[in-house]
């Protein structure tokens, strides 16, 4: 169908088709299909412990998917200016929501990070991350083109503000991710590497402080490094799921281990992939993630605008780090944190947030995107 | 990396040439970019076309410095991600593909018992403990549609449940599963099932059953609700029973145990004793045929009884057991050559040892030899023999008998023997007649078994010997000759000494009474140890009563002779036939003849053996 779009097609769709990163688009579609399939096989394993219907999570996943895909596609058509406007808007909304969470947030699984909208609950952090990546990229690039605007200072203020809000909900993993995005952008901006000699130990110092002061962090860290099988129950279950799957998996829906795996539909979805579809399927997922990152890097590397380079760099850092943290904690390489696997994990907020992230990514990585960015 | 970027950007120029850009994006002109941008692009394209594609130089000259640094660092970032994802890939391959699926079953939690816990059997194969699977009532509160309906249905079928507790459990939706009741009858399951309530389940759960009730509570022990051994042999053989699913064949005997327990119970009640214990042991193999501790408890519901009831008085409770120890003192003295059977000792006046005065129950006149000291159970005489032997010799003899070390018997309920750290004259004198030393009744039985079996130490065991042994296996602790002398002494104690009330009608026995004052009270521990048949010893029976009260018909006596000896007689009377002991036909004649030969100081008694 798409092949019938002529290169000379002057319509919005035609221009979009020929300029958008079709490889990434295809890979994201693949992730969405995998995610849909995985929600079908993981949902009963999770709901059987609850009063929910067997396919509750499938239904919700299907409900959020069009929203996410719609967001993704409509953003990817936008020009740079609109993307920036949308990012500012999303940033404002998510800042508002982050404040609202502190006041009227809903508790779920022991933390207060969600806002209940009746029909669905929303985790504002998921929106804040892509919005921040774009906004901060713009502010930082302004610092270079118009130093008098003190964009870097504003960006740092924004970063600090979101950090305070995240730390108030004691959401350490998300604040860590936000820090990673910001640091990566500073790095790309060409900040002297000496800064990182200061900043990275400072970050580690904050992490150490969190270990000493926040009880759940203390427990998780201790459990991971020195705990017995009970303390790292999830990781033990997850690893045996991978082993159970072996090379080719037990077959769709044939997983046994997934039943014993808490959060099989969200944080530990890769273990279900491993158990039912085997090592090769997991490697395919890892490859898809990596190719998406490399495609983004490839596109960003010939962007002629610092803003686009920083924004894509930030968005890729968000996407790549999140996937990395999710996969490595599922594999017991790292302390489990509440990170979702892009498009595969269940989670409405995560799907919408990812729609936003990849939408921005596709829009900014379109060929010639920087040329209609009149700010340069 | 450095060659990567320019080449790519070179290709990109085709699409970003001003002409193409303006064609593709009508808004291009509207947004009015600066004209020199066009020029720059055109120049780059021209340069790219002529310059070598691999060289990074051309682009850098035309790009602003920030972009150049940014691209370089972007490559570093990409490298970092590549390394990270490579690590994930490697971990995946190592974990899944190469490390293999060896722990594939970890997830089936909670781990269902692989084997059914094996039975515990008596020496003839009768079941002492068995695991049966019986339906339990389990509810999944989240699946129950109508709590009230479920509640009334359950109460109707199982009325003995606590209603408030039940209602609370059924409506506790925080929990996936709540257990309501174990061990439902099949008819209860059928009734409940036919009510068609969603959310009720009847999983078959293992439970441990003891067909003999409280007959073997102490040696066999009990398990927790999940059939994990908590006490007795259930605890000791946890591995064999549950992991290997291999039955435990004990040395115990249901029939003998029943006889011993019922006689012991009757006597304990008659003398209002606080506790009672009895052990019947094979003198050659050390096999325990019967082990009774009273009061007993229900092993199916051990927590319903007090902790003291769950104490095993045979293996636990290191207590001072009194005069029975005179057997060991005299055996040691004879065996180590400290005295001969002809030596006599002055028992006419209290014995002063340092600051202690040692007395007898009765005042005797003149001197006594070892045999009469035992017959009359003279503390004064025993203490003198002990002192003549010497504390260290006495102690090493007791040690040889196994009296001073922790018992190796197969129950966890054991106590450490207590004895003087240093054998001073006072402690030697008191240990000689069984005070100042505290061991379990099982220790005494094993020690007497060694005296009776020809002088070989035996280790008490609750496991059936693989083959019946007629000869004891173990280190020799005293000579055959001493053993014979001791058997003769024990026979004379029953024939005409303090153990007369143990005289059995049709089998010759030997024994020794024991009456120990409980420290700091007027109460006593009364016991009797017997060996039978005395002319060819096979069994030792030790009976102990804790704090028996004297009765009018015993002239208020509660000594070993009055309390423990008669019950020994009754028990052995009933054991003769199940143990297959050949009865002696000439009943009372035998005892009278023995009495004459015993050369007692007491007048000859003509009372018949009637176990009174």
């Amino acid at each position: 169908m798409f092949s019938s779009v002529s290169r000379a097609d002057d319509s919005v769709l035609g221009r979009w088709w020929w300029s958008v990163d079709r490889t990434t688009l295809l890979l994201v579609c693949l992730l969405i299909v995998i995610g849909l399939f995985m929600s079908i096989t993981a949902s009963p394993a999770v709901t059987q412990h609850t009063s929910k219907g067997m396919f509750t999570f499938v239904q919700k996943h299907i409900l959020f998917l069009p929203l996410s895909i719609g967001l993704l596609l409509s953003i990817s058509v936008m020009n740079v200016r609109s993307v920036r406007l949308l990012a500012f808007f999303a940033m404002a909304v998510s800042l508002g929501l982050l404040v609202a969470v502190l006041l009227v947030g809903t508790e779920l699984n022991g933390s207060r990070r969600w806002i209940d909208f009746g029909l669905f609950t929303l985790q504002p952090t998921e929106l804040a991350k892509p919005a921040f990546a774009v906004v901060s990229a713009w502010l930082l690039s302004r610092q270079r083109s118009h130093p008098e605007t003190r964009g870097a200072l504003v960006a740092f203020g924004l970063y600090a503000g979101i950090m305070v809000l995240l730390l108030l909900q004691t959401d350490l993993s998300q604040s860590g991710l936000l820090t990673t995005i910001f640091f990566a952008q500073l790095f790309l901006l060409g900040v002297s590497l000496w800064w990182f000699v200061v900043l990275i130990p400072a970050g580690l110092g904050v992490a150490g402080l969190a270990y000493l002061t926040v009880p759940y962090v203390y427990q998780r860290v201790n459990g991971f490094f020195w705990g017995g099988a009970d303390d790292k129950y999830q990781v033990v279950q997850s690893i045996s799921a991978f082993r159970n799957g072996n090379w080719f998996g037990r077959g769709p829906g044939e997983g046994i281990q997934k039943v014993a795996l808490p959060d099989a539909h969200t944080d530990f979805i890769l273990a279900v992939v491993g158990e039912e579809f085997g090592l090769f399927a997991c490697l395919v997922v890892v490859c898809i993630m990596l190719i998406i990152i490399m495609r983004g890097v490839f596109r960003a590397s010939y962007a002629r605008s610092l803003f686009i380079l920083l924004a894509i760099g930030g968005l890729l850092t968000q996407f790549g780090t999140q996937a990395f943290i999710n996969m490595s904690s599922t594999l017991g390489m790292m302390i489990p944190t509440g990170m979702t696997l892009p498009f595969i994990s269940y989670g409405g907020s995560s799907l919408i947030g990812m729609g936003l992230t990849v939408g921005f990514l596709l829009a900014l990585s379109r060929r010639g995107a920087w040329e209609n960015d009149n700010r340069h | 990396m450095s060659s990567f970027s320019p080449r790519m950007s070179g290709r990109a120029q085709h699409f970003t040439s001003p002409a193409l850009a303006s064609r593709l994006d009508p808004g291009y002109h509207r947004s009015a970019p600066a004209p020199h941008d066009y020029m720059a692009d055109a120049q780059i394209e021209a340069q790219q076309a002529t310059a070598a594609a691999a060289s990074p130089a051309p682009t850098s000259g035309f790009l602003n410095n920030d972009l150049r640094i940014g691209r370089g660092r972007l490559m570093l970032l990409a490298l970092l991600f590549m390394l990270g994802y490579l690590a994930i890939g490697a971990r995946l391959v190592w974990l899944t593909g190469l490390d293999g699926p060896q722990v594939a079953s970890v997830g089936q939690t909670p781990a269902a018992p692989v084997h059914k816990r094996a039975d515990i059997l008596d020496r003839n194969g009768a079941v002492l403990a068995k695991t049966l699977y019986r339906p339990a009532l389990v509810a999944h509160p989240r699946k129950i549609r109508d709590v009230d309906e479920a509640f009334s249905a359950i109460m109707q079928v199982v009325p003995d449940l606590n209603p408030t507790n039940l209602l609370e459990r059924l409506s506790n939706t925080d929990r996936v599963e709540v257990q309501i009741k174990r061990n439902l009858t099949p008819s209860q399951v059928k009734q409940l099932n036919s009510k068609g309530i969603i959310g009720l389940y009847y999983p078959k759960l293992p439970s441990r059953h003891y067909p003999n009730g409280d007959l073997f509570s102490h040696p066999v022990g009990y398990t927790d609700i999940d059939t994990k051994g908590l006490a007795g042999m259930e605890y000791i053989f946890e591995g064999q029973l549950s992991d290997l699913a291999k039955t435990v064949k004990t040395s115990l005997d249901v029939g003998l145990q029943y006889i011993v327990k019922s006689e012991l119970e009757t006597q304990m009640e008659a003398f209002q004793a606080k506790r009672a214990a009895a052990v019947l042991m094979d003198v050659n193999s050390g096999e325990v045929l019967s082990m009774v501790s009273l009061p007993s408890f229900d092993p199916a519901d051990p927590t319903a009884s007090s902790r003291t009831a769950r104490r095993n008085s045979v293996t636990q409770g290191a207590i001072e057991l009194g005069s029975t120890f005179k057997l060991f003192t005299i055996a040691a003295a004879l065996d180590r050559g400290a005295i001969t059977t002809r030596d006599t000792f002055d028992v006419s006046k209290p014995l002063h040892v340092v600051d202690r005065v040692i007395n007898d129950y009765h005042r005797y006149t003149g001197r006594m030899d070892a045999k009469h000291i035992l017959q009359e159970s003279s503390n004064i005489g025993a203490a003198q023999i002990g002192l003549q032997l010497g504390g260290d010799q006495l102690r090493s003899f007791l040690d040889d008998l196994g009296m001073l070390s922790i018992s190796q018997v197969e129950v966890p309920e054991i106590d450490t023997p207590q004895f003087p750290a240093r054998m001073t004259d006072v402690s030697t004198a008191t240990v000689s007649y069984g005070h100042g030393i505290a061991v379990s009744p099982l220790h005494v039985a094993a020690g007497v078994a060694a005296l009776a079996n020809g002088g070989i130490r035996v280790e008490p065991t609750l496991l059936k010997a693989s083959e019946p042994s007629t000869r004891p296996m173990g280190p020799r602790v005293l000579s055959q000759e001493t053993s014979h002398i001791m058997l003769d002494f024990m026979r004379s104690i029953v024939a005409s000494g303090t153990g007369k009330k143990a005289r059995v009608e049709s089998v010759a026995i030997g024994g020794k009474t024991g009456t120990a004052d409980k420290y700091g009270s007027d109460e006593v521990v009364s016991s009797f140890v017997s060996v039978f048949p005395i002319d060819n010893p096979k069994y030792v029976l030790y009976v102990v009563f804790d704090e028996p009260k004297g009765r009018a018909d015993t002239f208020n006596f509660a000594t070993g002779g009055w309390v423990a000896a008669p019950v020994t007689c009754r028990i052995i009377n009933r054991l003769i036939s199940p143990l297959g002991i050949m009865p002696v036909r000439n009943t009372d004649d035998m005892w009278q003849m023995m009495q004459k030969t015993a050369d007692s100081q007491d007048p000859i008694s003509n009372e018949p053996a009637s176990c009174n």
Side-chain angles (χ1 to χ4, degrees):
Chain A
M1 166 190 127
F2 284 128
S3 58
S4 66
V5 180
S6 156
R7 266 182 196 267
D9 191 336
D10 232 16
S11 69
V12 174
L13 194 69
R15 274 182 287 122
W16 172 80
W17 177 248
W18 290 114
S19 59
V20 81
D21 188 341
R22 289 183 301 278
T23 312
T24 299
L25 195 63
L26 180 77
L27 292 175
V28 168
C29 288
L30 215 57
L31 284 183
I32 287 170
V33 171
I34 295 173
L36 188 58
F37 206 92
M38 291 323 293
S39 78
I40 293 170
T41 157
S43 180
V46 178
T47 52
Q48 72 166 35
H49 302 297
T50 68
S51 54
K52 295 187 176 92
M54 199 175 176
F55 290 110
T56 307
F57 292 122
V58 187
Q59 288 156 7
K60 287 199 175 174
H61 198 84
I62 291 174
L63 197 74
F64 279 104
L65 262 185
L67 237 77
S68 174
I69 297 171
L71 207 59
L72 188 154
L73 291 177
S74 53
I75 295 174
S76 73
V77 181
M78 289 182 181
N79 63 27
V80 174
R81 239 178 113 188
S82 317
V83 163
R84 204 156 43 214
L85 277 174
L86 181 65
F88 271 97
F89 176 70
M91 190 72 257
V93 169
S94 50
L95 274 175
L97 290 176
L98 279 171
V99 174
V101 154
L102 293 172
L103 306 173
V104 294
T106 313
E107 234 178 84
L108 198 66
N109 307 332
S111 29
R112 197 184 176 96
R113 296 168 188 172
W114 284 264
I115 294 184
D116 199 342
F117 284 102
L119 273 175
F120 60 97
T121 56
L122 189 74
Q123 194 178 3
T125 335
E126 297 292 345
L127 300 183
K129 287 181 288 185
F132 175 79
V134 175
V135 171
S136 132
W138 184 72
L139 290 169
L140 291 175
S141 68
R142 288 286 283 180
Q143 172 77 36
R144 283 285 186 259
S145 56
H146 306 82
E148 72 285 354
T149 56
R150 298 191 173 275
L153 203 67
V154 180
F156 185 79
L158 181 65
Y159 161 74
I162 301 173
M163 281 297 278
V164 167
L165 290 172
L166 287 181
L167 290 175
L168 282 176
Q169 354 168 346
T170 60
D171 193 342
L172 288 165
S173 47
Q174 297 292 1
S175 52
L177 184 55
L178 191 82
T179 306
T180 311
I181 296 169
F182 190 55
F183 279 21
Q185 287 182 328
L186 288 177
F187 175 73
L188 293 175
L189 187 65
V191 167
S192 163
L193 289 178
W194 287 109
W195 274 100
F196 291 95
V197 176
V198 181
L199 286 174
I200 290 172
L204 291 177
V206 172
L209 197 70
Y211 167 71
L212 293 175
T213 54
V214 184
Y216 87 85
V217 177
Y218 185 79
Q219 282 168 10
R220 267 198 224 177
V221 173
N222 283 1
F224 181 78
F225 286 108
W226 303 284
D230 283 351
D231 297 309
K232 34 187 180 187
Y233 177 79
Q234 289 180 318
V235 174
V236 170
Q237 299 299 338
S238 161
I239 286 178
S240 45
F242 281 109
R243 290 193 168 150
N244 221 1
N246 216 12
W247 297 92
F248 301 103
R250 297 178 58 92
E254 294 290 321
I256 302 164
Q257 200 69 34
K258 63 177 179 182
V259 176
L261 195 60
D263 298 331
H265 60 316
T266 56
D267 297 5
F268 286 88
I269 191 85
L270 190 70
V272 183
V273 178
E275 187 180 22
E276 299 194 347
F277 299 92
L279 169 64
F280 292 116
C282 288
L283 289 177
V284 165
V285 170
V286 175
C287 284
I288 292 176
M289 300 290 175
L290 188 61
I291 295 171
I292 289 176
I293 297 168
M294 290 304 143
R295 284 295 304 179
V297 167
F298 167 64
R299 288 278 178 136
S301 72
Y302 52 92
R304 306 287 302 284
S305 133
L306 186 61
F307 161 63
I308 287 183
L309 189 138
L310 292 180
I312 293 182
L315 292 167
L316 287 179
T317 305
Q318 186 219 329
F319 180 90
T321 309
Q322 193 167 331
F324 176 81
I325 291 175
N326 175 283
M327 293 191 285
S328 56
S329 52
T330 307
L331 286 162
M333 298 159 76
M334 167 168 198
I335 300 156
T337 57
M339 291 279 173
T340 51
L341 191 58
F343 293 111
I344 297 184
S345 289
Y346 162 80
S349 305
S350 163
L351 275 179
I352 289 174
M354 272 302 148
L356 209 58
T357 304
V358 176
F360 284 155
L361 187 68
L362 286 173
L364 295 174
S365 68
R366 274 166 64 192
R367 286 204 172 99
W370 65 89
E371 291 189 8
N372 51 36
D373 178 14
N374 62 355
R375 306 238 170 197
H376 273 270
Chain B
M1 189 177 73
S2 55
S3 62
F4 175 65
S5 148
R7 197 151 25 95
M8 292 308 148
S9 50
R11 217 184 91 198
Q13 303 310 322
H14 293 297
F15 298 96
T16 54
S17 67
L20 189 61
S22 62
R23 191 170 59 79
L24 284 180
D25 190 355
Y28 189 72
H29 295 290
R30 264 180 275 127
S31 55
H36 74 264
D37 273 350
Y38 288 106
M39 298 304 291
D41 278 2
Q43 278 174 19
I44 289 164
E45 196 176 17
Q47 195 109 28
Q48 287 288 316
T50 52
S55 162
T59 356
S60 47
F62 294 88
L63 284 172
N64 89 36
N65 200 38
D66 293 332
L67 269 177
R68 200 168 50 80
I69 295 173
R71 284 178 190 178
R73 292 202 171 176
L74 193 63
M75 293 305 138
L76 276 174
L77 201 67
L79 191 74
L80 217 63
F81 272 114
M82 220 181 282
L83 287 176
Y85 279 70
L86 215 64
I88 287 182
R91 169 80 172 168
L92 266 170
V93 172
W94 177 73
L95 205 66
T96 324
L98 305 180
D99 217 23
Q102 64 265 54
V103 284
S105 61
V106 175
Q108 282 108 335
T109 48
V114 186
H115 299 299
K116 179 177 160 181
R117 189 183 179 87
D119 297 346
I120 298 179
L121 304 177
D122 93 335
R123 63 186 300 110
N124 304 313
V127 173
L128 303 185
K130 190 174 192 65
T131 296
L132 296 175
Y133 285 82
R134 297 186 58 185
L137 174 57
V138 160
H140 288 194
R142 290 169 189 166
K143 293 185 182 158
I144 292 175
R145 301 225 170 117
D146 185 346
V147 173
D148 293 329
E149 183 201 20
F151 171 76
S152 54
I154 294 171
M155 284 310 286
Q156 207 179 326
V157 178
V158 196
D160 54 332
L161 291 171
N162 176 351
T164 43
N165 186 289
L166 175 63
L167 202 59
E168 210 171 274
R169 281 166 183 237
L170 289 178
S171 32
N172 182 7
T173 48
D174 287 344
R175 297 203 34 202
V176 173
E177 187 178 294
V178 289
Q179 201 175 88
I180 310 281
K181 191 174 186 331
R182 283 210 171 207
N183 295 340
L184 290 185
T185 62
S187 81
Q188 283 174 320
V189 174
K190 185 164 182 275
Q191 283 177 59
L192 265 175
N193 218 356
S194 63
K195 291 185 191 290
I197 294 161
I198 292 169
L200 297 186
Y201 299 88
Y202 314 96
K204 292 209 166 158
L205 298 178
S207 59
R208 202 69 170 156
H209 289 257
Y210 303 93
N212 297 292
D214 67 351
L215 192 55
F216 289 98
S217 320
H218 291 96
V220 169
Y222 50 87
T223 68
D224 66 7
I225 199 156
D226 299 313
T227 72
K228 184 173 176 295
L230 290 185
M233 294 203 274
E234 292 273 34
Y235 177 85
I236 292 287
F237 295 106
E238 176 68 25
Q240 178 179 339
L241 289 167
S242 88
D243 300 340
L244 304 175
K246 207 167 149 243
T247 55
V248 170
K249 265 210 143 184
T250 69
S251 57
L252 298 162
D253 184 308
V254 174
L256 306 181
Q257 178 88 350
Y258 175 74
I259 291 167
V260 173
K261 180 164 178 270
S262 55
E263 290 293 348
L264 200 68
E265 257 169 353
T266 312
Q267 192 75 339
M268 185 173 103
E269 256 169 56
F271 284 87
Q272 294 163 36
K274 217 168 73 176
R275 305 178 63 82
V279 54
L280 175 68
M281 189 193 289
D282 185 312
V283 293
N284 293 317
S285 61
E287 287 173 278
V288 174
L289 301 170
S290 168
M291 181 185 273
V292 178
S293 173
L294 295 175
S296 194
F297 66 92
D298 181 6
D301 188 12
T303 47
S305 306
S306 67
R307 276 176 90 84
T308 50
R310 281 181 272 154
R311 275 176 69 86
N312 185 338
S313 298
V314 175
T315 56
Q316 262 178 317
I319 46 173
E320 292 180 311
L321 288 164
S323 310
T324 318
F325 268 75
K326 289 168 188 161
L327 288 175
F328 304 129
T329 308
I330 287 170
L334 286 169
D335 198 62
R336 306 282 148 102
I339 60 163
T340 67
T341 50
R342 285 180 298 279
D343 291 348
T344 59
F345 301 88
D346 182 10
V347 293
S348 60
K349 53 183 184 296
L351 181 68
H352 292 264
V353 182
V354 195
D355 58 339
R356 192 74 71 95
V357 185
I358 292 161
N359 256 311
D360 279 336
Y361 279 104
H362 305 287
R363 178 54 49 83
Y364 306 102
T365 51
R367 300 177 74 84
M368 275 187 188
D369 61 7
K371 185 180 200 172
H372 285 92
I373 287 172
L374 280 177
Q375 276 182 21
E376 302 307 327
S377 201
S378 164
N379 295 341
I380 299 170
Q384 288 177 65
I385 294 173
L387 287 168
Q388 194 156 326
L389 171 67
D392 293 334
Q393 287 280 352
L394 178 59
R395 185 186 161 136
S396 84
F397 184 78
L398 292 174
D399 199 14
D400 288 350
L401 281 178
M403 210 70 84
L404 306 184
S405 40
I406 292 180
S407 175
Q408 298 300 307
V409 75
E410 297 87 355
V411 289
E413 296 85 7
I414 46 171
D415 281 345
T416 316
Q418 289 165 26
F419 49 91
R422 259 182 63 240
M423 293 299 276
T424 61
D425 282 352
V426 173
S427 56
T428 306
T430 58
V431 167
S432 299
Y433 58 89
H435 285 74
I437 181 164
V439 299
S440 74
L442 190 65
H443 279 95
V444 173
V448 173
L451 301 186
N453 69 13
I456 306 297
R457 175 172 167 171
V458 293
E459 289 294 345
T461 177
L462 279 163
L463 289 182
K464 190 184 180 182
S466 46
E467 51 196 83
S469 63
T470 45
R471 297 181 65 82
M473 308 280 282
R476 177 166 290 280
V477 286
L478 61 144
S479 69
Q480 189 97 39
E481 199 192 337
T482 312
S483 173
H484 276 143
I485 296 169
M486 291 316 293
L487 288 173
D488 178 48
F489 287 0
M490 282 192 261
R491 172 167 24 203
S492 75
I493 293 166
V494 176
S496 53
T498 52
K500 280 195 290 270
K501 287 189 180 301
R503 279 164 29 175
V504 184
E505 217 174 327
S506 51
V507 59
I509 78 162
K512 177 73 189 86
T513 55
T515 308
D517 293 320
K518 287 191 93 171
Y519 186 78
S521 82
D522 294 337
E523 302 288 348
V524 291
V525 174
S526 300
S527 61
F528 192 80
V529 64
S530 52
V531 173
F532 62 97
I534 196 72
D535 33 279
N536 179 23
K538 283 232 161 53
Y539 305 101
V540 56
L541 173 68
Y542 190 36
V543 180
V544 185
F545 292 91
D546 186 18
E547 300 189 7
K549 313 289 184 292
R551 287 153 41 115
D553 58 343
T554 67
F555 313 104
N556 279 328
F557 282 120
T559 59
W562 283 99
V563 181
V567 76
T568 299
C569 171
R570 286 195 288 270
I571 290 172
I572 294 176
N573 243 338
R574 289 176 68 181
L575 290 184
I576 291 169
S577 124
L579 286 175
I581 296 168
M582 194 66 84
V584 176
R585 225 170 277 161
N586 227 344
T587 55
D588 291 339
D589 290 357
M590 178 187 72
W591 288 112
Q592 286 190 13
M593 192 178 71
M594 276 185 203
Q595 217 168 356
K596 279 173 199 143
T597 55
D599 188 21
S600 169
Q601 290 180 344
D602 288 341
I604 291 168
S605 132
N606 283 317
E607 53 182 289
S610 58
C611 301
N612 291 313

